[in-house]
Amino acid sequence: MSKPVRAIVITGHGVNCEKEMAHACRLAGADAADIVHMAELLAGRVRLRDYQLLNFPGGFLDGDDLGSAKAGVNRLRYAAVAGGENLLAQIRSFVGDGKLVIGVCNGFQLLVKMGLLPALHGDYGRQSVTLTCNERGRFEDRWVWLRVDPDSPCIFTRGLQRLYLPVRHGEGKFVAQSGAVLAALEAKRLGVLKYCLPENDLPTLDYPWNPNGSEAAIAGICDESGRVFGLMPHPEAYQHRTHHPRWSREPELPEEGMGLWLFRNAVEYIRRERL
Amino acid sequence: MAAMIWRIEVALKNEIRDARGDRVQRELAHHFGIAVERVRTIDVYTVEADLDRDQIERIASEPLSDPVIQVFGVNRPLASDFDVLVEVGFRPGVTDNVGRTAREAIEDLTGRRLAPGEGVYTAVQYLFKGKLSPEQARRIATGYLANELIQSCRVIPRAEYDAIQGAPVLVPKVTSSVEPRITLVDLEVDDAGLLEISRRNMLALSLEEMRAIRGYGRRPEVRGARRQVGLGEQLTDAELEALAQTWSEHCKHKIFAARIDYRDETGASRIIDSLFKSYVVATTETVRRLKGADDICLSVFKDNAGVIRFNDDWSLVFKVETHNSPSALDPYGGALTGIVGVNRDAFGTGQGADLLFNTDVFCFASPFHQQELPARLLHPRRIFEGVVTGVEHGGNKSGIPTVNGSLVFHPRFLGKPLVYCGTGALMPAVVNGRPGHEKKARVGDRIVMTGGRIGKDGIHGATFSSEELHEGSPVTAVQIGDPITQKRMFDFLLVARDRGLYHSITDNGAGGLSSSVGEMAEDTGGFELHLDRCPLKYSGLQPWEILISEAQERMTLAVAPEKVGEFLTLAAEMGVEATDLGEFTASGYFHCLYRGRTVTYLSMEFLHQGLPQLQLEACWQPPAVTEPAVVSPQDLTGSLLGLLGRLNICSKESVVRRYDHEVKAATVVKPLLGVDDDGPSDAAVLRPLPDSFEGVVVAHGICPRFSDLDAYAMAANAVDEALRNFVAVGGDIDHVAGLDNFCWCDPIHSDRNPDGRYKLAQLVRANEALYDCCTRYQVPLISGKDSMKNDYQIGATRISIPPTILFSVIGKIPDIRKAVTMDVKYPGDGVALLGRTRRELGGSEYYDLLGVSGGAPPRVDADYGRRLFKVLNQARDEALLASCHDLSDGGLGVALAESALAGGYGLEIDLSQGGSGERLPDDVLLFSESAGRFVVTVRAPYRNRFADLCRELDLWWLGEVTDDRRFQIRGGDGKLCVATDIDTLKEAWQAPLKEL
């Protein structure tokens, strides 16, 4: 018997997509998907090491008040954990153990700002890219087409070519610290997901297909191991055909939503690698 | 000793685009015609705390700035390359959410709590480059960037900035040295004296009410009881305030409870003893009786929200509120508080419910208003932008999808905007062995308050005047919601609910603790509350202020004494404040103490039953209405395009996209639909349980344009429109409940309000319509609210809103996969009109477009309508319909255009063939707004079956969906009366409110 696949979904302080994230993990085959409030981790009652898939869902951590996820990173770094190391250290050990981490939207912002993504050269502590205000200066909810880089090391997107998912954010514009960082990302094929034109899969800088003005049309990136992955669009929001905005006029849509594919890849990897 | 003051500025690096500044630049050009070269922004944090330079540098470099895109300066100004700078900060005591988060970040980073007196205050600098006169800068600052009611702004020209080397440091700290005291009020005065006491203390109590209170104080048994607790004969300030809150129009609905002498147009007179009981409650009672075993109501009118059955395991909760006056003063804060406030209502229903969706309906004057504004009114565009942003932040940051709404425009909403906010929630049918919708505080339970702290926010609501402000005095009237503090509280309370840690829960809204504890204590018959134990935002509050403060994000709970420890520990762990304030008792008294001294000792019975009933007069005189002479032009293409571009009809996509409408992954019919995701949905469908296909349908109707002709028609059409929308997407007409939200202009006759009797008669007629329609449709009313004073009067200018009912509905669809959307889908499908069209153009968008008035408003035939709805439900079950769209503003012409442009296919319509009844002119057929009608498209194989289902109704096959983009309508004479294409239609429809 293979070891059960256990996913943990972190919530609290403004996270708001935890339920659908956990449900997506279950539908994708995880044996357990526990929604755990940050307080449980700080009290030391729950340890990350008991899980193999770590989910940071979307939401508005601390209201995005200091810039998205900024206060959240500060909490992970400084809030005391009863009888253990701080959460940032626990997360780094989790990654070091070869396990999988996914951050969606606010969770992606959190991963980037804590330095876990893209963590070039395995430096999981230094922030080198960011997600900032959409160029149009507005929060937007709209569905976007995403091109998947087939040559990326990303575990979550293996075998996928194209995704259709909703973005729902005000701070999703991807910006790299320098041209060198962006070039390194591209060279290492870490820019996994790119906003693209619906008709030809070409990455685009044009609104509304690229809804926020992201550099190099980047919608999601992974680290060099491919096991840490973050994206602005919401895969957990497309689990069933009736989540698709045009399901009532596209009868040929498959029953299962495309968003689940990402979680299924993760669960299969964990099973295969006996993590 | 004062702590050190640090000023941290955070700016974007020069090469990084400033989206916030760019938007300001675009809006200045668009709205004010002011072109500037560039706008950049800087965030300012003023930290007053005992921290050293190292700590401050770390705070600035880690949580407060982003190293990839930002730079920071500690006590070092960053602004450069600008001509004028405007700095906008908050006034003392105003909720500063960013400041609160920065404070928490500092506490996490330093590992210590900031001490009393220490604090963080935020501001934003706008740097303008280009030609901008000081007057222009001031106008932009006060008329666009800041709301001086809650914010302070400073305009600093470049030369001045350079001379003083940066903007001067401001610490907007609440300073107060007042000592808590209890003031006694002598009510043994004459009538004029009583009224003066009411006016001076902003109690809003009438002479009869003041006399009743004086009479209470004179009772010998009351005097005896007061002596026992150390109180004299005179009432305290806190007692008078508690009575004023409990007896306020807002809390007691005095007009709806009044005894009304109603005279109709024939002069016949009758007495209505409470509109609420005679119409609203009577509707529900009648419907529940009619439905018998199929009754869906679980909890109506008694809790914070109504509750109906969803399935065996789950119940649905729904509540809609208004927040009009606060939104008129501060559109952003007022609307934000409106949405997070109604969230608490739904959450605090029964033993607590999980929030599922939000709905918003806003009524404004035109944002393009050109004429001069009466004194103290904000421009409708500012109200529009502020309200939309407030609800965006409230809904999105709370993680609740906004699934349904409307923007309604009428010139008289200039006087007062209407901001309706609704929230639905899902409640377990059984919680801890008891029905989820039932709760009861028990004698001996502790009174526990949780969530935010108490400040002077919202004391006396909107009656405050800004002249009383001084430097250092907190703003009391306007509140700004804090969605994150509330979200944390809800996360905590759901855990507490499921662990059975409390017996009862309610929201702190209007009247604050006075109302929440006072109402909960009706279960036990009394309470003892220690006001000095309440956590405060700052010192200097009087006991009466603590009692009635409407500070946000607070819930009150009844917690069994043996559970208090666990409750408080859980709260602390989850980062939520909770405080034990006293005990629910059976004493029969509303008993508050401050440092051991009694400050209120009022009989619960008098407080809740002692209010004298209001006596009012209503007189109905139908307005003289004649049918205007309108000659229908042969070509109606221009009329149709004109209608599509009207504010009440045009696309609201620029607003809808700003709301997250699909968080929670439950929304399956979204607000934007069709081939390009930009068509207007009739209603929302949600799938709340991921393991079931049962769905929730949410819709609404609102028709203020009819109220000047007849408030009966206004109300009836609102009910009909809501149900049409509901049924169009597939909602079950036998499983739906309604909520009525009345917004009226003052219906009490007085010298200042000479037509009060007519406005009250309008209210009576609207209630009659509600009863007549809902009982025929068999739709119970489960909750509602009224806001009765939506007038503006300063000097000789009086603007009264058109009386407006928002009718919201919530119900069920058995299987969400059977939901029907409004976009046409397949070329070749038959297009049909279902329902009867009459010459009913009174109050229509078409007459308004033509600039004519008069005419008959639509009449609702609910018996016919119910049969029609049943047929549509049957068609849904048999999956006969490819699309279905409700006909409302703009009638058939607009509905056809919307369905076509959303679906991306043309239409070929012929009005010369088929149809039944009276032959109407083309413009009447196309633009009359008769109720109870739908446009459907049907695939060829299902046409006969659908026609068969509709055989006893009016079904008119109008034409076909075509495989091109042409949109053509042949009139009664067989000649083209509309010839255009769907791209032109869409352009006209999208132009007015397109995103900048």
Side-chain angles (χ1 to χ4, degrees):
Chain A
M1 261 246 328
S2 71
K3 210 166 130 186
V5 174
R6 291 169 55 84
I8 181 169
V9 182
I10 309 293
T11 187
H13 303 287
V15 170
N16 59 37
C17 299
E18 69 278 9
K19 283 188 184 154
E20 57 266 38
M21 196 91 164
H23 194 68
C25 291
R26 275 181 224 116
L27 288 179
D31 300 287
D34 297 343
I35 297 171
V36 176
H37 194 280
M38 212 91 74
E40 297 280 313
L41 294 169
L42 294 179
R45 283 192 293 271
V46 178
R47 298 282 184 197
L48 293 183
R49 58 169 181 255
D50 296 328
Y51 297 88
Q52 305 104 322
L53 174 58
L54 172 56
N55 294 268
F56 289 106
F60 275 89
L61 272 172
D62 306 279
D64 276 2
D65 285 336
L66 311 177
S68 60
K70 288 293 293 179
V73 171
N74 190 67
R75 184 180 299 106
L76 294 178
R77 184 172 286 143
Y78 293 107
V81 175
E85 7 168 49
N86 71 39
L87 290 174
L88 203 55
Q90 286 191 41
I91 294 166
R92 288 198 197 116
S93 308
F94 189 91
V95 174
D97 291 343
K99 296 175 173 178
L100 302 189
V101 182
I102 180 170
V104 172
C105 195
N106 200 214
F108 180 30
Q109 293 160 339
L110 189 76
L111 290 178
V112 154
K113 294 181 184 185
M114 72 169 98
L116 224 61
L117 278 177
L120 292 171
H121 315 294
D123 181 356
Y124 291 101
R126 203 180 65 82
Q127 182 185 345
S128 63
V129 302
T130 199
L131 295 150
T132 185
C133 293
N134 296 353
E135 278 200 347
R136 297 170 70 89
R138 286 260 199 253
F139 180 101
E140 268 198 23
D141 180 334
R142 81 167 57 244
W143 285 62
V144 292
W145 286 102
L146 301 159
R147 187 187 119 91
V148 182
D149 182 348
D151 299 321
S152 140
C154 185
I155 306 295
F156 294 83
T157 54
R158 278 189 186 170
L160 307 182
Q161 291 166 344
R162 199 172 139 89
L163 290 166
Y164 187 57
L165 298 172
V167 289
R168 312 190 308 246
H169 61 243
E171 295 184 37
K173 179 183 174 182
F174 182 89
V175 176
Q177 185 155 41
S178 63
V181 167
L182 192 60
L185 276 177
E186 297 280 41
K188 293 169 190 279
R189 315 303 291 256
L190 305 184
V192 189
L193 295 181
K194 297 203 169 177
Y195 299 110
C196 70
L197 296 172
E199 57 276 13
N200 59 12
D201 283 9
L202 287 178
T204 179
L205 299 180
D206 294 338
Y207 182 85
W209 303 280
N210 178 336
N212 47 39
S214 283
E215 288 180 4
I218 287 176
I221 59 173
C222 65
D223 71 339
E224 291 174 55
S225 76
R227 291 181 286 101
V228 183
F229 176 45
L231 68 167
M232 286 313 299
H234 287 267
E236 81 290 351
Y238 186 16
Q239 305 184 8
H240 184 260
R241 61 187 299 267
T242 54
H243 286 134
H244 190 288
R246 295 180 300 282
W247 67 272
S248 67
R249 55 185 296 121
E250 293 183 19
E252 65 284 0
L253 282 173
E255 195 73 3
E256 181 178 286
M258 284 181 193
L260 287 184
W261 299 345
L262 299 172
F263 296 93
R264 183 156 292 135
N265 271 332
V267 170
E268 279 170 9
Y269 176 86
I270 291 163
R271 257 191 239 293
R272 200 165 55 239
E273 301 290 321
R274 299 172 187 279
L275 289 179
Chain B
M1 197 190 82
M4 178 90 181
I5 294 171
W6 301 91
R7 182 177 158 102
I8 302 170
E9 294 190 1
V10 179
L12 288 166
K13 292 177 181 172
N14 280 334
E15 67 274 19
I16 301 294
R17 185 169 171 176
D18 186 340
R20 179 169 56 178
D22 288 352
R23 171 156 287 282
V24 170
Q25 186 186 7
R26 279 201 302 279
E27 294 190 350
L28 285 186
H30 191 266
H31 299 325
F32 294 80
I34 297 175
V36 290
E37 265 175 61
R38 200 183 60 187
V39 183
R40 302 282 287 181
T41 61
I42 290 175
D43 289 307
V44 181
Y45 300 86
T46 304
V47 182
E48 184 182 21
D50 273 317
L51 298 166
D52 60 34
R53 171 144 301 257
D54 273 6
Q55 287 175 308
I56 282 289
E57 292 274 344
R58 268 173 63 212
I59 289 160
S61 67
E62 292 184 23
L64 299 190
S65 66
D66 183 329
V68 174
I69 50 170
Q70 290 173 325
V71 291
F72 65 89
V74 174
N75 294 346
R76 178 172 62 88
L78 296 180
S80 65
D81 194 21
F82 68 93
D83 294 309
V84 184
L85 177 154
V86 177
E87 182 169 310
V88 179
F90 290 104
R91 291 188 182 276
V94 174
T95 302
D96 177 353
N97 287 323
V98 179
R100 198 245 317 122
T101 300
R103 175 196 185 100
E104 290 171 4
I106 291 171
E107 292 178 339
D108 278 337
L109 189 144
T110 59
R112 78 164 175 96
R113 299 296 296 261
L114 292 195
E118 293 185 320
V120 184
Y121 309 91
T122 65
V124 178
Q125 284 184 348
Y126 299 86
L127 282 55
F128 296 93
K129 186 167 173 59
K131 281 207 192 75
L132 202 60
S133 68
E135 300 80 69
Q136 277 180 318
R138 175 132 292 276
R139 190 156 71 88
I140 292 167
T142 59
Y144 168 69
L145 294 173
N147 179 353
E148 288 193 292
L149 204 56
I150 53 161
Q151 292 166 315
S152 59
C153 58
R154 295 178 290 167
V155 178
I156 308 175
R158 181 60 189 263
E160 191 183 319
Y161 184 90
D162 288 345
I164 56 175
Q165 299 188 344
V169 176
L170 266 194
V171 184
K173 185 175 177 175
V174 176
T175 50
S176 166
S177 54
V178 302
E179 283 302 310
R181 64 195 164 94
I182 300 161
T183 307
L184 299 176
V185 185
D186 184 4
L187 295 180
E188 293 303 331
V189 294
D190 61 12
D191 287 352
L194 287 176
L195 280 174
E196 173 56 21
I197 291 169
S198 172
R199 195 196 58 78
R200 195 176 56 231
N201 297 295
M202 298 184 194
L203 302 178
L205 291 169
S206 70
L207 183 59
E208 289 69 29
E209 291 158 355
M210 288 300 289
R211 281 183 185 152
I213 293 170
R214 182 176 61 192
Y216 168 78
R218 283 174 178 171
R219 289 189 214 162
E221 76 277 12
V222 168
R223 294 188 168 184
R226 294 175 72 79
R227 270 194 297 277
Q228 307 251 320
V229 293
L231 280 182
E233 291 171 4
Q234 292 180 349
L235 294 191
T236 65
D237 50 1
E239 290 180 313
L240 214 47
E241 293 285 352
L243 281 161
Q245 290 304 319
T246 311
W247 289 9
S248 67
E249 175 58 43
H250 191 100
C251 294
K252 270 279 188 255
H253 310 288
K254 290 184 275 199
I255 293 170
F256 261 78
R259 186 181 159 88
I260 296 173
D261 185 346
Y262 175 75
R263 202 148 32 88
D264 68 18
E265 67 271 34
T266 66
S269 174
R270 64 193 161 93
I271 298 295
I272 299 164
D273 185 7
S274 167
L275 286 170
F276 178 63
K277 286 194 192 124
S278 309
Y279 295 105
V280 180
V281 174
T283 297
T284 304
E285 284 174 350
T286 305
V287 172
R288 294 185 76 173
R289 212 165 40 238
L290 278 171
K291 291 176 88 81
D294 296 325
D295 176 28
I296 56 169
C297 296
L298 294 175
S299 173
V300 291
F301 305 128
K302 60 182 183 197
D303 209 332
N304 294 321
V307 188
I308 61 166
R309 180 188 150 80
F310 182 58
N311 62 20
D312 288 347
D313 301 321
W314 297 94
S315 311
L316 290 173
V317 179
F318 197 15
K319 169 67 172 271
V320 180
E321 268 281 12
T322 48
H323 228 223
N324 308 336
S325 300
S327 302
L329 288 175
D330 172 23
Y332 174 79
L336 169 55
T337 308
I339 192 69
V340 295
V342 75
N343 286 168
R344 285 196 305 281
D345 275 324
F347 189 96
T349 297
Q351 292 174 62
D354 220 343
L355 304 181
L356 182 63
F357 64 83
N358 286 335
T359 62
D360 309 301
V361 175
F362 309 139
C363 303
F364 302 135
S366 166
F368 309 114
H369 181 84
Q370 296 280 1
Q371 299 83 342
E372 188 147 351
L373 284 172
R376 297 204 57 186
L377 286 181
L378 296 179
H379 191 280
R381 185 184 55 242
R382 282 196 86 181
I383 297 200
F384 183 128
E385 179 56 30
V387 166
V388 168
T389 307
V391 173
E392 173 195 325
H393 287 176
N396 292 358
K397 293 189 178 188
S398 302
I400 304 163
T402 298
V403 298
N404 186 243
S406 275
L407 287 168
V408 180
F409 297 90
H410 188 287
R412 297 213 303 277
F413 291 125
L414 186 70
K416 190 79 81 79
L418 304 184
V419 176
Y420 294 95
C421 298
T423 298
L426 195 64
M427 174 189 277
V430 176
V431 176
N432 299 311
R434 285 184 295 151
H437 57 273
E438 287 178 9
K439 60 183 167 194
K440 200 172 179 26
R442 297 175 198 179
V443 175
D445 279 353
R446 305 303 302 173
I447 301 168
V448 179
M449 184 184 94
T450 187
R453 296 183 149 225
I454 297 178
K456 296 201 181 193
D457 335 25
I459 289 175
H460 290 151
T463 51
F464 112 114
S465 77
S466 59
E467 288 77 57
E468 290 168 16
L469 279 182
H470 62 84
E471 215 47 50
S473 76
V475 173
T476 60
V478 177
Q479 314 153 61
I480 296 180
D482 173 358
I484 294 306
T485 295
Q486 181 150 303
K487 178 91 171 90
R488 285 178 180 147
M489 175 176 75
F490 288 162
D491 286 350
F492 152 61
L493 287 173
L494 281 177
V495 176
R497 178 193 74 182
D498 293 341
R499 289 191 193 165
L501 297 185
Y502 58 80
H503 288 141
S504 184
I505 179 170
T506 200
D507 150 50
N508 279 283
L513 285 172
S514 159
S515 295
S516 69
V517 180
E519 283 165 23
M520 267 167 105
E522 286 189 84
D523 289 346
T524 64
F527 68 88
E528 192 179 291
L529 177 75
H530 296 267
L531 295 170
D532 51 305
R533 295 180 191 166
C534 292
L536 305 181
K537 294 183 180 177
Y538 36 79
S539 62
L541 268 72
Q542 295 297 345
W544 70 265
E545 292 178 310
I546 297 173
L547 181 61
I548 67 160
S549 162
E550 298 177 5
Q552 295 287 299
E553 290 84 42
R554 294 180 297 142
M555 306 291 283
T556 298
L557 297 104
V559 181
E562 67 274 16
K563 299 277 177 70
V564 167
E566 192 181 345
F567 186 90
L568 299 181
T569 306
L570 181 66
E573 235 182 56
M574 296 182 75
V576 179
E577 198 156 19
T579 317
D580 182 341
L581 300 180
E583 183 175 322
F584 289 101
T585 66
S587 68
Y589 282 92
F590 184 106
H591 189 185
C592 297
L593 301 97
Y594 190 87
R595 294 182 185 156
R597 243 186 93 191
T598 293
V599 296
T600 74
Y601 200 68
L602 291 169
S603 144
M604 289 284 291
E605 194 264 331
F606 176 69
L607 187 74
H608 290 293
Q609 316 297 337
L611 174 69
Q613 189 182 28
L614 205 56
Q615 313 280 332
L616 297 176
E617 287 176 7
C619 185
W620 174 244
Q621 199 55 54
V625 174
T626 50
E627 190 64 47
V630 173
V631 181
S632 175
Q634 173 62 41
D635 186 4
L636 293 169
T637 309
S639 307
L640 178 59
L641 292 172
L643 282 170
L644 287 170
R646 290 182 64 79
L647 284 172
N648 281 324
I649 294 173
C650 73
S651 169
K652 311 300 185 299
E653 181 176 354
S654 59
V655 173
V656 174
R657 291 228 179 265
R658 293 173 64 182
Y659 299 133
D660 187 331
H661 45 253
E662 49 199 328
V663 57
K664 290 178 187 290
T667 318
V668 294
V669 173
K670 305 180 210 278
L672 296 169
L673 289 175
V675 67
D676 292 321
D677 305 326
D678 54 10
S681 183
D682 285 328
V685 180
L686 294 110
R687 178 190 181 191
L689 307 167
D691 51 2
S692 163
F693 285 108
E694 292 163 291
V696 178
V697 181
V698 189
H700 70 272
I702 184 166
C703 308
R705 284 180 293 108
F706 301 137
S707 40
D708 288 348
L709 295 168
D710 184 358
Y712 186 101
M714 181 277 293
N717 279 284
V719 173
D720 197 71
E721 184 183 16
L723 292 170
R724 289 196 308 268
N725 283 321
F726 174 84
V727 170
V729 299
D732 214 317
I733 190 63
D734 289 323
H735 198 128
V736 56
L739 289 83
D740 54 277
N741 283 76
F742 288 77
C743 285
W744 234 252
C745 33
D746 191 352
I748 299 182
H749 174 82
S750 69
D751 293 343
R752 286 179 60 205
N753 189 34
D755 57 351
R757 292 190 187 95
Y758 173 72
K759 290 167 179 169
L760 187 62
Q762 288 183 299
L763 185 65
V764 171
R765 289 189 54 81
N767 272 276
E768 287 176 336
L770 198 62
Y771 178 86
D772 292 348
C773 287
C774 291
T775 50
R776 288 190 171 86
Y777 279 130
Q778 296 183 29
V779 175
L781 302 172
I782 56 166
S783 173
K785 212 62 196 270
D786 53 275
S787 161
M788 305 304 287
K789 309 266 166 138
N790 294 290
D791 307 87
Y792 164 90
Q793 177 139 28
I794 288 185
T797 310
R798 186 175 181 88
I799 306 175
S800 295
I801 64 151
T804 303
I805 290 180
L806 170 68
F807 194 74
S808 310
V809 295
I810 185 168
K812 187 169 173 179
I813 179 170
D815 185 334
I816 53 124
R817 292 167 296 187
K818 296 269 175 78
V820 183
T821 56
M822 52 69 67
D823 46 323
V824 304
K825 298 187 175 64
Y826 311 104
D829 282 5
V831 179
L833 170 66
L834 183 57
R836 277 181 201 154
T837 306
R838 304 185 189 88
R839 184 188 289 273
E840 293 177 319
L841 285 149
S844 69
E845 285 290 332
Y846 181 57
Y847 272 9
D848 212 29
L849 175 76
L850 296 180
V852 299
S853 58
R859 188 168 56 78
V860 172
D861 180 348
D863 294 322
Y864 180 86
R866 184 172 159 80
R867 284 195 287 135
L868 199 150
F869 293 163
K870 294 288 279 184
V871 161
L872 284 176
N873 279 173
Q874 183 63 35
R876 169 204 68 196
D877 289 343
E878 297 182 28
L880 301 179
L881 303 179
S883 76
C884 182
H885 190 21
D886 132 77
L887 267 60
S888 54
D889 299 9
L892 175 65
V894 165
L896 287 169
E898 286 176 342
S899 291
L901 67 86
Y905 293 110
L907 293 181
E908 187 75 59
I909 301 295
D910 188 347
L911 302 178
S912 68
Q913 308 290 321
S916 57
E918 185 199 353
R919 193 65 241 173
L920 295 167
D922 293 344
D923 61 342
V924 177
L925 262 180
L926 285 175
F927 306 133
S928 169
E929 297 183 10
S930 294
R933 296 182 304 154
F934 299 84
V935 164
V936 297
T937 58
V938 186
R939 309 231 66 187
Y942 306 130
R943 283 200 208 185
N944 289 340
R945 172 62 187 150
F946 184 65
D948 187 42
L949 278 181
C950 297
R951 64 190 176 275
E952 313 227 316
L953 301 166
D954 300 73
L955 181 69
W956 184 1
W957 293 102
L958 301 174
E960 275 193 3
V961 180
T962 59
D963 203 5
D964 57 26
R965 303 182 80 79
R966 276 183 301 182
F967 184 91
Q968 298 191 322
I969 301 176
R970 285 179 194 285
D973 58 5
K975 293 184 194 148
L976 281 179
C977 64
V978 175
T980 179
D981 58 77
I982 54 173
D983 303 294
T984 307
L985 293 171
K986 191 185 261 191
E987 205 186 307
W989 181 69
Q990 291 184 330
L993 295 177
K994 220 175 174 78
E995 174 68 67
L996 281 186

